[in-house]
Structure formats: structure tokens, C-alpha cells
Amino acid sequence: MKLSAAKIILIGCGLGIVYGLLNGFSNAFLLPSAPIISLRPQIALPMIVGIIGHPLAGFITGFTGNIIGDGISGFGFWKFWNWHIANGLMGLIPGLIRYRGITRIATVREFGILQVSIILACGIGVGFAVVMDVLFLHFMIFPSSLHAWILPAFLTDVVNGFVLVPVALVLTGAILITLETRTIMMITALLIIAVLATAGSITWAVLDDLVSHQAMVRNFYIAAIVSVLLLVIGFLASIVFVRKMTDPLTKITRAAESVEKGSYDLETLDGISGRNDELGRLARVFEQMAGKVLEREKKLQKQVEELQIKIDREKQIADVAEIVETEYFRSLKEKARKFRAS
Amino acid sequence: MPKIIAIHSFRGGTGKSNTTANLACLLAQKGQRVGIVDTDIQSPGIHVLFNLDPREISCSLNDFLWGKCEIESAAYDVSKMIEPQTDGKLFLIPSSIRTGDIARVLHYGYDINLLKEGYQKLTERLSLDYLFIDTHPGLNEETLMSIAIADILLIILRPDQQDYQGTAVTVEVSRQLEVPGMFLIVNKVPDVFAHEELAVKVASTYQCEVAGVLPHADEMMTLASSGIFSMQYPDHAVSREMDKIIQRITG
């Protein structure tokens, strides 16, 4: 989308208010073991604005929204300014994928870049807030802030972004449903469900059995780190697997398109037709079919090029003479002349 | 001056009658008064395209040639075929389809003076602007007569070797008859042919202007021999090319 500066600011502030209200609301429900962090699904909002609208609009949404949220929750409007900027960065960074030429997501590669950009956005955002705190604000006490504050913020943001941003982009059409995106999203969804179910059960189901608060926090901390690691590693692995599966199909499709265009660029099939599976067979059958079509087309082309009007002049002269050298023809010619003169 | 346009092809099956009927209808649609004479006495057929019931034909070209009736009473108004209706009129002078009549004309033949006179009367009494003559394929005496009388001769050919050779003979014979205007029409041309190149090639081979290259049309096949194609499919490529032919030969 091409937006004017005024529109970027308007959209950023407008959705920033929505984001702020949602923050204010969710801050009332803090995560167990994390005194100032809530499970914030709304973090996906600035990311979505950044991707669909404009990176700067995403930044403004995150930035203003966090100010409003903090204000409503009584944290003070400007006290945690580093986190305002951190939220802004989370809205800004995923939007930058457009500068890698990605405006619509249709392939596994593009989907991978999107999800990695979300993880990076969370890492950079939270990292920025921590560095600013260490340098200027000194609110954090290490190491307890690490599990009370930093890690819960990072982990919930990653998981929320990872799950909700693709859903929103599918609904708005920014992710095209192709064979590639459908497959990678299906596998990603399974991965998320598996990881979150495991992590959730570890975190909440065993809460009662834990003796001390410290043990509970430790438990949460380990479960969350393991889930995000599993999510990231599992996601990267599934990208590799899905690409292995969809690449040959994409190449066969390209070959088919080249036949449609008439360029018969079948080299992309070279690596596939040797395979022993269904795709190999498809590629071989396609190559044969395209070969036949090309042959027929060439033959026809040749016929047209050879289009010659061959006239046997000797025969023509003889045939003409047979007609014009008759008495009838001579008298006809004479009469025709008279008609035309009259 | 009314113009006599003869349509000829060396071989049968070139779409001669069909093209004649279409060109005549298109001209009438433009407000002209047009007549069509079916001189293909050996194998008449154009009346079928105009849905003219043979039982309605009480007087035909054959009857006129034997002095049994006036030529204008052999003219049937088929203007109802023109779509949309205009001020133009279309008359058809059919040949008799009775085998006895056919044999008789073939046996005795007819005289060019009589034919010419008949055409003159016809154009005067029906105030025709154009008179189309649908001829019999080949170059028999009656066909040569039609060519000799014509102001404009349209020779239809298909893009195949036999037609190319026969057309060469027709063109040369017609030149010797000093026909004032002569045009070629290439009909039933498959899409794979480059139509413009074909036109250039044909024109240079025969040293004769090509009035049009008509593509092969499946729709024409389905319409078969009932109804006038250009009236029913006015936007079809074939109809548009026929329009251009009209402009070239009358312009």
C-alpha cells in the first residue's frame, strides 16, 4: 500500500489508541510469575499495521499505544519510555520486509522471512528496552528482572506475533493461499499447537505441585525458553522440508507456464524427472507431452513457412490456350468489347 | 451506373455461393438495392441460403432464357434476410432446380446477348445499384459469358495447390476478356497462416489485388447452409473482413 505521510500518522495514531486501550485492559491480567507482564495478543496489531500499512505507521501504533496503555494502568505515561520505543520497533521491523520486495506472501521463503522478521522484531525491541534501562533508567534488577520481566515479555510477544500475524494477513489477503503457503502454515500451526500445549501443561498443570514460588518461576522460565526454541528450530526445519516438497511442484508449474507462453523452457525439470516419486513421474509425463506439443507446433510452423504458391506455368499456358484459342472465345471477347463500349 | 459483380471460383467448395450471399446482404444492409442471379444452372443452391422454398419459384432464370417470362418476374424479394432492416433491397433470381430444366439449358445453351439484355432490364426495372452473378465453377461457356459481362470479377480460392493452379488459369483468361475490375478473395484460411503475408504472396503471384482473406470459421460450419452468416454474426472476424471486401470493391 502506498500511503501519504499524513495517512501514515493518522493510521498509526488511530490504531495506537486501540492498541493502548487493549494494553490497558490486558495489564489487569498479568501472567503468573511475571509481575508486570500480561499475555498480550494485541502485540500483533502494530506488526500487522507495519506490514499491511507502512513500517512507520506500525512504529507509531506501537509507540503511542504503549504510552496510552501504561497511562491507563497507572505506570505513568513517560516513565518506561524505553518500552514505548521497543513497542514501536516491534511494529516497524516486520514492515521492513516490503523493502526485500515482499508485498504479498505466496511462497515458503516469503513466509519464512515474515516469521523470522517477527522474532527479530521482538528480540530487537526487548533488547533495546533492556539496554536503555541498563544505561539510563536502572529500573531492572538482575538477574531477577530477567525472568520477571524481560523473558516473559520477549516470549509472549514472539508467540503472539508468530500465531496472530499470519492469521490476520491471511484474512486481509496479504498472504496468498498457495500450495506453498498452505503447507507451511499447516505445519506451523501443528508446531505451535504442540509446543504451546506442552509448555502450557508444564507451566500451569504442575503449579500446585511446586513447593516454592522460586521453583514455579524457574519452571515457567524453562518451559517458555524451551517452547520458543522448539518453535524457532521446528519452524526453520519445516521450511526446509516444505520447500523440498513444494519446490519441484513450483518448477513443474513454471515449466507449464513456459509451454503456455511458447518458450518451452523445460530445463527446470532436469532435477525432478530423475526422482522416483509421483513428482518425478509427473515431470517425466509433462516433458513427454510438452515435447510432442513442441514437435507438432514446429511442424505446423514449418508448413506455414513453406507456404508456397507453386504454379506450373507451362500447364497454365496450355490450359489458357485451350480456352482462348476457340472460335467461341474470340466471338465472346468481341461481344464483351462491344458491351463495354456501349 | 449499376455494377455487375461476377463471383467465380475454379473449383467447387470454395464457399462461392456463401460469400456471394454475404457480400450482397452486407451491401443491401448499407441501403443499396442489390440483385443476385444464380447462373449456376448445373448445380443451383444459393436459394437455400435465403430460405426460398423451391415450390414458391414459379418463374426462374431458365424460364427467362427460354422466353417464357420476363426477367423481373423471376426476381424474388429476399430483403427479409437483411438484419437490421434498412432501406436496402435484396432480390434473388434463382435457377430452376428441376432436372429437366437443367438438362435442357445444358443441351441448348443460351446466348450472351439475351443474358446481357436480361441483366439490363432487371437493373432498370428494379432500379438496382449492384447485380451479383453467382457462377458455376470451372470455365465452361456460360461461366465465360458471366465473366465477359461483369464490371467486377471476384475470384475465390482456398489456400491449396489445386486452387492456386486453377486460379492462375482463370485470372489469365479473365484478363484476355478485359474485365475492368478483378479481385481475389482467399477463403477458409486456417488461423495458423499469417493472413497478411498470405495476401501479399497471393497478390504478387497473380499480379492481382487481393480484396480479402477470410479466416476459417467453425461457426460458419455449424450454420451450414441455412441463413446468412454476416447477418447472424455481425461482429465475427469473417463478417468484419467481408465488410472490408465490400469497401475495397465498391470504394
Side-chain angles (χ1 to χ4, degrees), chain A residues 163-191:
Chain A
V163 176
L164 297 174
V165 171
V167 171
L169 294 187
V170 168
L171 292 177
T172 58
I175 291 181
L176 283 180
I177 300 292
T178 62
L179 187 67
E180 292 199 24
T181 54
R182 195 188 283 275
T183 315
I184 188 67
M185 283 194 292
M186 185 183 78
I187 291 181
T188 310
L190 287 174
L191 191 69

Side-chain angles (χ1 to χ4, degrees), chain B residues 216-249:
Chain B
H216 176 85
D218 287 332
E219 292 93 329
M220 206 139 184
M221 297 295 124
T222 41
L223 193 60
S225 288
S226 66
I228 307 298
F229 185 82
S230 60
M231 298 292 111
Q232 299 191 12
Y233 298 88
D235 296 321
H236 195 282
V238 168
S239 310
R240 286 206 299 267
E241 184 70 10
M242 281 179 171
D243 246 331
K244 281 189 202 151
I245 292 175
I246 295 278
Q247 279 162 25
R248 266 176 216 146
I249 60 177

Side-chain angles (χ1 to χ4, degrees), chain B:
Chain B
M1 258 304 263
K3 279 215 162 102
I4 297 178
I5 302 173
I7 314 227
H8 183 259
S9 70
F10 186 76
R11 282 199 303 160
T14 52
K16 179 171 51 64
S17 294
N18 218 310
T19 310
T20 308
N22 276 284
L23 294 178
C25 265
L26 284 167
L27 258 174
Q29 193 193 49
K30 290 177 175 38
Q32 305 285 349
R33 296 176 67 88
V34 183
I36 303 173
V37 184
D38 186 3
T39 68
D40 189 355
I41 285 171
Q42 293 179 37
S43 48
I46 201 165
H47 60 276
V48 178
L49 295 168
F50 291 102
N51 300 327
L52 191 62
D53 189 338
R55 283 168 302 186
E56 280 175 48
I57 304 173
S58 53
C59 197
S60 64
L61 180 69
N62 309 51
D63 296 306
F64 162 72
L65 292 171
W66 301 323
K68 278 165 76 180
C69 71
E70 288 291 318
I71 184 111
E72 65 268 26
S73 39
Y76 295 84
D77 190 339
V78 287
S79 307
K80 63 176 192 307
M81 300 302 287
I82 305 167
E83 276 175 50
Q85 285 282 320
T86 58
D87 291 345
K89 282 278 172 203
L90 189 60
F91 300 95
L92 175 65
I93 295 88
S95 270
S96 172
I97 56 156
R98 287 191 289 264
T99 43
D101 291 353
I102 294 171
R104 196 169 149 194
V105 167
L106 292 181
H107 186 74
Y108 294 105
Y110 49 87
D111 180 55
I112 187 169
N113 286 315
L114 179 62
L115 199 65
K116 174 75 185 169
E117 221 173 275
Y119 290 168
Q120 222 150 21
K121 267 191 213 157
L122 190 67
T123 51
E124 274 167 27
R125 295 193 185 158
L126 298 176
S127 354
L128 296 181
D129 301 303
Y130 292 95
L131 184 64
F132 282 81
I133 307 176
D134 188 13
T135 63
H136 182 68
L139 289 168
N140 63 22
E141 292 187 356
E142 284 74 24
T143 300
L144 290 173
M145 251 183 239
S146 294
I147 296 174
I149 291 172
D151 300 304
I152 294 168
L153 173 64
L154 301 179
I155 303 171
I156 302 189
L157 66 148
R158 283 163 307 180
D160 70 44
Q161 283 309 326
Q162 254 186 301
D163 272 15
Y164 289 146
Q165 182 71 30
T167 301
V169 176
T170 312
V171 169
E172 190 46 42
V173 168
S174 308
R175 266 202 190 114
Q176 299 221 10
L177 281 175
E178 293 156 4
V179 181
M182 184 155 58
F183 298 91
L184 299 173
I185 294 174
V186 194
N187 197 11
K188 300 185 179 177
V189 179
D191 284 337
V192 288
F193 284 65
H195 288 200
E196 275 169 39
E197 280 171 35
L198 181 65
V200 171
K201 218 159 195 169
V202 168
S204 76
T205 305
Y206 299 104
Q207 292 298 304
C208 178
E209 195 178 328
V210 173
V213 175
L214 297 169
H216 176 85
D218 287 332
E219 292 93 329
M220 206 139 184
M221 297 295 124
T222 41
L223 193 60
S225 288
S226 66
I228 307 298
F229 185 82
S230 60
M231 298 292 111
Q232 299 191 12
Y233 298 88
D235 296 321
H236 195 282
V238 168
S239 310
R240 286 206 299 267
E241 184 70 10
M242 281 179 171
D243 246 331
K244 281 189 202 151
I245 292 175
I246 295 278
Q247 279 162 25
R248 266 176 216 146
I249 60 177
T250 61

